[in-house]
């Protein structure tokens, strides 16, 4: 028997095997997952689009500041002077191409009440320390902002340590504290919108938002975009949600002053992930988490984001399910672990089966095989057709949500260069969907059995869901972060000072020059 005959025999046998009841169930399940994602993204688009319509209606009524608030009377001086004080805490680590733009968007907020910005670094050797110090010199007469050196963490992740130091240093009169990641690009009215919701509903425990990834063109960047998109459904509720993103969290300042619900002790004593820990605390104490429809933020990914850096990022994302604060939290994380792994491979498997069906049908067609084989071929192709239809609906829904969020971001930041979908490569999006869902279970199982992770040059070890050991060293981790490609080391490692200066100059130029995704349609 020739190699070609052997291939034909294998394809025909595999195609027949994939028409057994269980295999058909797996393929139908893949269609259901696609349709569920399509419906979820359509619902999220509806919520975001409703906010766009409200803004347009407000503008038609003469409110040219609808990007700040729907009722222009809220901008009256009598209302602005009564706004509560807000402290914005930003833990920093490293310096990269998008940081200056992001930091400028934060300190130039149009919030009308008293506000202070605390930029927290672990040491003066961090490149972020010099970069933010230079930037704040331009705003020293206009903005209450300062850089705080937090020192190294010993009982929790460095990010959480920086956040807690910022909470300790906040103004005694601050009513709310807003934690932001340094890769968040705020809209001018974001802080005002979050504060207004907190004032309207004091029972809110945490307000959060979510990023809109702007892929840079590499497969790794599209994998990250695809990874975040399913999660976006949980943040596009326009109100109550069970999800929490650590990049944007507004809370009551007294919860940190008084350690209400154990927020400080829960984070400080072995905390690895800020958002997972606080979400667990909120669930345990039945506290309310909300996500307003305007809380969606442009998140440009690094122009040189490699596939290896995507894999490192995925490892960190799956590792958070290994941390927990209680038995109930452990059970919830195990359930998330199991369901995500099952659904990921349950999504990928039908596409593998579809490739076999198509290959078998092509060989049967050209070989003019028996009627029985052609019958099996048509049965397989009917399943492939159903999967193709569901996949197209899924991608259209994904495209529609991205389009709506891009439009909303453009309306919320009228001063910024407009974004568009022109740079999105939807063939790469489809490939990224398959790659990301195939790799997720592998990453999750590796995280489960390793119980350690390298996060921005620091290796953390977990025991019973909490950090038990922290290793630092010049050779422990990479020189750059995963998503934004930031330099992690100053004097302690590479790059040298000349490289940092050139990076700073390049970032200034990039901030002034629109990116490829900033163009018009």
């Amino acid at each position: 028997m020739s190699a070609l005959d052997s291939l034909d025999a294998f394809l025909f046998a595999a195609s027949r095997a994939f028409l057994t009841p269980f295999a058909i169930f797996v393929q139908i399940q893949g269609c259901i997952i696609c349709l569920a994602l399509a419906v979820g993204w359509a619902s999220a688009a509806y919520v975001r689009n409703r906010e766009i319509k409200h803004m347009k209606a407000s503008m038609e009524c003469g409110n040219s500041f609808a990007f700040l608030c729907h009722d222009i009377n809220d901008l009256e001086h009598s209302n602005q002077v009564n706004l509560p004080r807000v402290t914005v805490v930003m833990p920093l680590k490293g310096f990269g191409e998008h940081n200056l733009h992001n930091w400028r968007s934060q300190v130039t907020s149009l919030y009308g009440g008293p506000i202070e910005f605390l930029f927290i670094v672990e040491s003066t050797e961090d490149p972020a320390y010099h970069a933010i110090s230079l930037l704040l010199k331009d705003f020293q007469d206009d903005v209450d902002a300062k850089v705080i050196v937090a020192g190294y963490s010993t009982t929790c992740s460095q990010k959480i340590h920086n956040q807690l130091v910022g909470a300790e240093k906040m103004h005694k009169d601050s009513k709310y504290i807003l934690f932001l990641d340094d890769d968040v690009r705020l809209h001018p009215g974001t802080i005002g919108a979050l504060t207004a919701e907190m004032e309207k509903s004091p029972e809110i425990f945490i307000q959060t938002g979510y990023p809109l990834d702007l892929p840079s063109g590499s497969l790794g960047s599209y994998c990250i975009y695809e990874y975040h998109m399913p999660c976006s459904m949980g943040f596009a509720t326009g109100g109550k949600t069970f999800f929490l993103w650590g990049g944007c969290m507004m809370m009551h300042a007294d919860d940190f002053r008084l350690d209400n619900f154990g927020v400080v002790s829960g984070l400080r004593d072995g905390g690895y992930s800020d958002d997972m820990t606080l979400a667990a605390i909120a669930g345990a104490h039945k506290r309310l988490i909300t996500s307003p429809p305007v809380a969606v933020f442009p998140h440009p990914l690094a122009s040189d984001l490699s596939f290896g850096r995507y894999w490192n990022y995925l490892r960190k994302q799956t590792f958070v399910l290994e941390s927990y604060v209680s038995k109930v939290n452990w059970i919830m994380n195990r359930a998330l672990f199991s369901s995500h792994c099952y659904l990921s491979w349950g999504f990928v498997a039908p596409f593998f089966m579809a490739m076999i069906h198509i290959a078998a049908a092509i060989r049967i067609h050209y070989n003019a095989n028996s009627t029985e084989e052609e019958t099996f071929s048509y049965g397989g192709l009917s399943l492939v057709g159903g999967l193709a239809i569901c996949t197209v609906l899924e991608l259209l829904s994904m495209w529609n949500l991205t389009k709506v969020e891009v439009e909303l971001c453009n309306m919320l930041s009228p001063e910024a260069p407009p974004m568009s979908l022109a740079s999105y490569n939807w063939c790469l999006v489809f490939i990224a969907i398959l790659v990301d869902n195939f790799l997720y279970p592998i990453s999750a199982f590796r995280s489960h059995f390793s119980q350690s992770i390298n996060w921005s040059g620091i290796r953390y070890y977990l025991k019973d869901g909490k950090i038990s050991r922290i290793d630092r060293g010049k050779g422990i981790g990479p020189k750059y972060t995963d998503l934004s490609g930031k330099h992690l080391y100053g004097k302690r490692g590479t790059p040298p000072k000349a490289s940092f200066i050139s990076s700073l100059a390049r970032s200034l130029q990039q901030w002034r020059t629109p990116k490829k995704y900033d163009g018009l349609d």
Side-chain angles (χ1 to χ4, degrees), residues 150-346:
Y152 298 122
S153 63
T154 57
T155 63
C156 59
S157 69
Q158 187 64 47
K159 178 184 177 182
I160 289 177
H161 176 70
N162 288 8
Q163 290 173 324
L164 294 178
V165 169
E168 290 176 0
K169 301 293 184 180
M170 66 179 165
H171 195 282
K172 62 181 179 64
D173 295 328
S174 287
K175 187 175 182 180
Y176 303 112
I177 183 169
L178 174 60
F179 296 106
L180 294 175
D181 280 357
D182 62 358
D183 56 359
V184 171
R185 186 169 296 180
L186 287 187
H187 306 294
T190 295
I191 298 176
L194 295 174
T195 305
E197 288 295 318
M198 297 290 279
E199 290 287 281
K200 185 169 63 177
S201 304
E203 70 275 13
I204 294 175
F205 181 53
I206 308 175
Q207 270 200 104
T208 188
Y210 205 63
L212 168 62
D213 289 327
L214 305 171
S216 58
S218 66
L219 177 59
S221 67
Y222 278 101
C223 285
I224 290 171
Y225 162 74
E226 186 282 327
Y227 175 82
H228 284 156
M229 282 303 288
C231 301
S232 65
M233 302 175 198
F235 292 88
T237 61
K240 182 179 179 180
T241 182
F242 298 102
F243 297 88
L244 182 59
W245 178 53
C248 175
M249 303 185 298
M250 176 173 274
M251 303 179 64
H252 295 271
D254 282 344
D255 286 345
F256 283 85
R257 294 191 183 102
L258 306 176
D259 193 17
N260 291 335
F261 313 108
V263 294
V264 174
S265 54
L267 290 168
R268 180 192 58 218
D269 301 334
Y272 168 76
S273 170
D274 52 337
D275 47 16
M276 293 292 284
T277 300
L278 290 173
I281 291 173
H285 295 275
K286 295 180 171 55
R287 299 287 94 189
L288 179 62
I289 300 175
T290 65
S291 181
V294 295
V296 54
F297 312 108
H299 182 218
L301 299 173
S303 57
D304 60 346
L305 200 156
S306 64
F307 192 80
R309 298 223 308 256
Y310 150 71
W311 170 251
N312 290 336
Y313 176 76
L314 184 63
R315 284 272 291 113
K316 288 189 292 187
Q317 294 303 301
T318 56
F319 190 75
V320 299
L321 295 179
E322 301 304 314
S323 64
Y324 52 90
V325 296
S326 65
K327 185 67 174 180
V328 173
N329 187 210
W330 178 83
I331 294 173
M332 291 295 293
N333 285 0
R334 291 303 94 198
L336 284 172
F337 176 97
S338 303
S339 59
H340 202 155
C341 289
Y342 174 81
L343 291 173
S344 289
W345 273 354

Side-chain angles (χ1 to χ4, degrees), residues 93-100 103 484-487 503 507 510:
K93 179 71 174 180
F95 177 73
E97 62 180 303
H98 300 296
N99 282 130
L100 282 175
W103 296 339
S484 53
K486 297 181 294 183
H487 292 291
S503 175
S507 295
Q510 288 169 338

Side-chain angles (χ1 to χ4, degrees), residues 497-507:
K497 184 176 180 181
S499 177
F500 167 75
I501 295 298
S502 62
S503 175
L504 179 60
R506 184 168 61 254
S507 295

Side-chain angles (χ1 to χ4, degrees), residues 11-225:
L11 290 176
F12 180 57
S15 184
R16 291 190 63 172
F18 291 157
L19 289 175
T20 60
F22 176 73
I24 292 174
F25 165 77
V26 170
Q27 293 170 84
I28 293 175
Q29 176 186 255
C31 294
I32 293 173
I33 294 173
C34 287
L35 291 177
L37 288 169
V39 171
W41 284 324
S43 300
Y46 171 78
V47 172
R48 303 290 194 196
N49 197 48
R50 186 174 57 191
E51 181 63 22
I52 291 174
K53 290 179 179 178
H54 288 168
M55 291 179 64
K56 288 182 177 179
S58 181
M59 293 170 67
E60 290 173 358
C61 293
N63 180 13
S64 56
F65 296 99
F67 65 97
L68 295 178
C69 57
H70 291 310
D71 187 355
I72 197 170
N73 293 323
D74 291 340
L75 298 178
E76 293 286 345
H77 178 72
S78 57
N79 292 323
Q80 294 287 298
V81 295
N82 294 321
L83 289 174
R85 174 177 283 274
V86 176
T87 295
V88 181
V89 174
M90 283 156 285
L92 308 183
K93 179 71 174 180
F95 177 73
E97 62 180 303
H98 300 296
N99 282 130
L100 282 175
H101 194 157
N102 297 337
W103 296 339
R104 282 181 180 272
S105 74
Q106 292 164 0
V107 299
T108 56
S109 168
L110 296 183
Y111 180 63
I115 186 170
E116 65 173 344
F117 297 89
L118 304 181
F119 294 88
I120 318 295
V121 297
E122 64 181 38
S123 74
T124 56
E125 296 176 352
D126 192 321
Y129 175 80
H130 304 285
I132 191 61
S133 298
L134 288 173
L135 178 65
L136 293 185
K137 285 183 179 180
D138 295 338
F139 298 95
Q140 58 185 353
D141 297 327
D142 305 309
V143 177
D144 181 5
K146 54 188 172 184
V147 185
I148 296 174
V149 178
Y152 298 122
S153 63
T154 57
T155 63
C156 59
S157 69
Q158 187 64 47
K159 178 184 177 182
I160 289 177
H161 176 70
N162 288 8
Q163 290 173 324
L164 294 178
V165 169
E168 290 176 0
K169 301 293 184 180
M170 66 179 165
H171 195 282
K172 62 181 179 64
D173 295 328
S174 287
K175 187 175 182 180
Y176 303 112
I177 183 169
L178 174 60
F179 296 106
L180 294 175
D181 280 357
D182 62 358
D183 56 359
V184 171
R185 186 169 296 180
L186 287 187
H187 306 294
T190 295
I191 298 176
L194 295 174
T195 305
E197 288 295 318
M198 297 290 279
E199 290 287 281
K200 185 169 63 177
S201 304
E203 70 275 13
I204 294 175
F205 181 53
I206 308 175
Q207 270 200 104
T208 188
Y210 205 63
L212 168 62
D213 289 327
L214 305 171
S216 58
S218 66
L219 177 59
S221 67
Y222 278 101
C223 285
I224 290 171
Y225 162 74

